[in-house]
Amino acid sequence: MTHHDSVRVQLHAIEAVLRKHQLWQETAPQPAALESTQPFCLDTLEPFQWLQWVLIPRLHALLEGGHPLPHSFAVAPYYEMALEATHPARDVVLIELQRLDTLFGGNGA
């Protein structure tokens, strides 16, 4: 399996976890919310919205276009801070994000 294939599989795993825990939204946020200049769109999106509407589509676009992927990339540390310890999906989401980070050489935790 190529690196691109591994990333694609992991993106699907993240989406599956979000869907399983009913965190996947059917309606996109307003376009202005996606234009934030803040990291993770902190000022306009909830953490799971950023995964669904920004990270996953952008990585899929890179994969589909055969473009280079980021290096030393890590999102799990943000989610460790952003998600409350009592969030029911926190642990499973973090595991999948750490797996993604590992593919990009990020520390993931």
Side-chain angles (χ1 to χ4, degrees), residues 29-109:
Q30 293 297 315
L34 301 173
E35 296 171 5
S36 170
T37 59
Q38 296 292 314
F40 302 99
C41 297
L42 285 171
D43 58 339
T44 59
L45 297 177
E46 295 298 318
F48 294 119
Q49 288 178 308
W50 182 82
L51 281 175
Q52 179 179 351
W53 302 106
V54 178
L55 180 70
I56 292 172
R58 287 185 184 174
L59 289 177
H60 275 303
L62 290 174
L63 292 168
E64 291 166 13
H67 301 289
L69 296 173
H71 295 282
S72 299
F73 175 81
V75 296
Y78 165 68
Y79 283 86
E80 287 175 345
M81 293 181 354
L83 300 179
E84 292 187 29
T86 58
H87 192 287
R90 184 180 193 273
D91 292 343
V92 292
V93 169
L94 286 176
I95 287 169
E96 297 303 335
L97 292 177
Q98 289 165 352
R99 289 178 179 154
L100 181 68
D101 289 353
T102 299
L103 293 171
F104 290 105
N107 62 17

Side-chain angles (χ1 to χ4, degrees), residues 4-24:
H4 276 58
D5 291 338
S6 297
V7 170
R8 187 174 286 110
V9 166
Q10 192 55 39
L11 292 174
H12 288 300
I14 293 167
E15 179 179 339
V17 165
L18 294 177
R19 286 182 183 277
K20 179 180 178 182
H21 292 277
Q22 299 176 347
L23 298 167
W24 193 261

